[in-house]
């Protein structure tokens, strides 16, 4: 598996198994007359970080966990199951973002 984060606070989990059956794909993927988008692989699981801050992610030491650290100083631990369903397990705020110097 691989996890990636977007610049809008969305984290995607992709299965890289040889069969690749866990990743979702459009039901229209077999239609050759449609644009390539409909033939692309979608993530096995995804979740949105509250507030949509830019973040980085990595798999945690627990099975089926993803650690997310965001530019706004927030820390998250998300858990996912074999169906790709994700839930937030831990949240912490390490930095206070203020306008004052």
């Amino acid at each position: 598996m691989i996890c990636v984060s977007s610049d809008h606070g969305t984290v995607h989990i992709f299965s890289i198994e040889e069969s690749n059956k866990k990743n979702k794909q459009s039901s229209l993927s077999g239609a050759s007359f449609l644009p390539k988008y409909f033939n692309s692989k979608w993530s096995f699981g995804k979740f949105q970080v509250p507030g949509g801050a830019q973040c980085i992610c990595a798999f945690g030491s627990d099975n089926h966990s993803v650690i997310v650290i965001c530019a706004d100083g927030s820390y998250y631990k998300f858990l996912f199951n074999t169906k790709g369903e994700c839930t937030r397990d831990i949240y912490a705020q390490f930095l206070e973002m203020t306008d004052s110097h």
Side-chain angles (χ1 to χ4, degrees), residues 71-73 93 95-101:
D72 65 358
Q93 185 70 39
L95 297 175
E96 293 296 326
M97 306 302 277
T98 63
D99 290 335
S100 63
H101 297 112

Side-chain angles (χ1 to χ4, degrees), residues 59-75:
F59 288 106
S61 59
D62 300 340
N63 286 338
H64 300 291
S65 68
V66 175
I67 305 300
V68 181
I69 300 177
C70 301
D72 65 358
S74 56
Y75 166 91

Side-chain angles (χ1 to χ4, degrees), residues 7 10 14-15 21 28 31 35 40 44-45 49 54 56-57 61-62 64-65 68-69 74-76 79 82-83 91 98:
D7 60 346
T10 304
F14 291 93
S15 173
K21 297 294 181 190
L28 301 173
S40 65
F44 159 68
V49 174
Q54 291 182 344
I56 58 172
C57 62
S61 59
D62 300 340
H64 300 291
S65 68
V68 181
I69 300 177
S74 56
Y75 166 91
Y76 297 91
L79 302 176
T82 57
K83 295 179 182 179
Y91 163 77
T98 63

Side-chain angles (χ1 to χ4, degrees), residues 72-91:
D72 65 358
S74 56
Y75 166 91
Y76 297 91
K77 178 180 175 185
F78 288 86
L79 302 176
F80 63 95
N81 62 25
T82 57
K83 295 179 182 179
E85 300 164 333
C86 303
T87 57
R88 186 174 78 186
D89 184 45
I90 298 174
Y91 163 77

Side-chain angles (χ1 to χ4, degrees), residues 15-29:
S15 173
I16 55 173
E17 294 176 4
E18 183 134 353
S19 67
N20 235 354
K21 297 294 181 190
K22 290 184 177 181
N23 294 327
K24 297 174 180 81
Q25 191 171 18
S26 172
S27 60
L28 301 173
S29 64

